[in-house]
Amino acid sequence: MAERVLDVEGLRAGYGRKEVVFGVDLHVEAGEIVTLMGHNGAGKSTTLRTVLGTLPARGGRISLDGADVTSASSKQNVARGMALVPSERFVFPDLSVHDNLMLGLGALRDKDERRRRIDEVHELFPILAEREAQLAGTMSGGQQRMLSLGVLLSTNPKLLMLDEPSLGLAPTIVEQIFGVVRRLADEQGLAVLLVEQNVPASLSITDRVYGIRNGRIFLDESVDEMRARDTYWDLF
């Protein structure tokens, strides 16, 4: 059995007096891509934010590599190996592509290791090497999405969470980004939790699918079971 990187049990979360997530159970193993699907407002992004620690859990348990991180801050969870690419473009627009990547490496002082990690990102996304000196804010939306993903991948995360990565992007860019994510899961054992409403694109790389409705998980299927469906309307 593969190592279980993320384990979420009975998770509850919300904003102010409003509870949004009610007793969510899900897990992601090493090398596995798991997609969380549901309509807008179903609790998908809230689940990701609570797992990362930017939103405090109101109940339940979150484990990373078997360690309880339910009460950990987002800073602590990032240091432990979590990474979240939000749905909006998350780059520093007034900095160059190179400087964005350097910021992602944070406190890493070893110059050779920094260069090696940046080279790895360039190998995954060659356009970032070509545009190394370009201001991030002048790049296309797809290139900015690649950069935001590259910044987080340079930290060598154990768990990568992606919130609507295909939103507003051309199909060719989505295919390239998803191809990189699948490759990292297969070759490096990266655990991936993907929130996505683009069903065909997500099914091209995912292993399992959870359906969430009104803050509750109502479906847990393999990708083969999902592909055998006649329709996906009941998921949204």
Side-chain angles (χ1 to χ4, degrees):
M1 178 179 285
E3 172 192 3
R4 188 170 287 193
V5 176
L6 176 68
D7 203 355
V8 176
E9 302 172 282
L11 184 66
R12 294 172 41 236
Y15 307 89
R17 296 181 179 180
K18 184 178 181 181
E19 193 151 311
V20 177
V21 171
F22 308 89
V24 161
D25 295 322
L26 60 84
H27 69 271
V28 187
E29 297 178 352
E32 185 180 38
I33 299 177
V34 173
T35 300
L36 183 61
M37 292 184 180
H39 59 76
N40 290 333
K44 305 183 302 296
S45 296
T46 300
T47 298
L48 296 191
R49 290 186 61 200
T50 309
V51 168
L52 184 65
T54 56
L55 186 68
R58 296 185 175 184
R61 188 175 190 271
I62 304 166
S63 300
L64 182 70
D65 277 346
D68 188 341
V69 296
T70 311
S71 300
S73 67
S74 57
K75 183 177 180 179
Q76 291 170 322
N77 281 332
V78 168
R80 287 184 172 108
M82 286 191 192
L84 170 63
V85 181
S87 56
E88 64 270 15
R89 297 173 193 171
F90 189 74
V91 297
F92 293 95
D94 296 328
L95 296 180
S96 69
V97 169
H98 177 75
D99 287 345
N100 269 269
L101 290 171
M102 290 297 289
L103 280 177
L105 293 171
L108 183 62
R109 297 292 178 232
D110 187 320
K111 291 183 180 180
D112 291 338
E113 180 63 14
R114 285 201 307 242
R115 186 69 255 174
R116 185 188 69 79
R117 293 195 189 184
I118 288 177
D119 286 346
E120 286 183 347
V121 172
H122 286 170
E123 193 274 329
L124 293 170
F125 299 113
I127 190 67
L128 300 184
E130 296 172 19
R131 306 291 179 88
E132 197 170 24
Q134 184 173 337
L135 292 180
T138 65
M139 301 173 77
S140 69
Q143 292 164 356
Q144 288 187 38
R145 194 68 54 84
M146 290 178 188
L147 178 56
S148 63
L149 181 55
V151 168
L152 292 181
L153 290 176
S154 72
T155 68
N156 287 340
K158 298 175 182 178
L159 172 69
L160 177 66
M161 296 182 285
L162 300 164
D163 193 355
E164 300 281 3
S166 74
L167 190 64
L169 301 187
T172 54
I173 300 295
V174 174
E175 183 178 359
Q176 184 177 351
I177 290 174
F178 278 20
V180 167
V181 173
R182 182 70 263 180
R183 173 182 165 187
L184 292 173
D186 292 339
E187 296 180 0
Q188 299 183 17
L190 181 65
V192 180
L193 180 56
L194 170 67
V195 161
E196 185 57 74
Q197 294 198 60
N198 185 334
V199 176
S202 62
L203 292 187
S204 70
I205 64 164
T206 199
D207 297 298
R208 286 190 301 114
V209 175
Y210 288 106
I212 186 169
R213 181 186 295 132
N214 298 325
R216 294 177 172 86
I217 297 293
F218 71 94
L219 174 119
D220 179 0
E221 290 187 348
S222 70
V223 67
D224 290 336
E225 290 172 319
M226 283 291 294
R227 287 173 177 158
R229 285 171 163 264
D230 294 327
T231 180
Y232 303 115
W233 286 111
D234 59 325
L235 302 180
F236 298 97

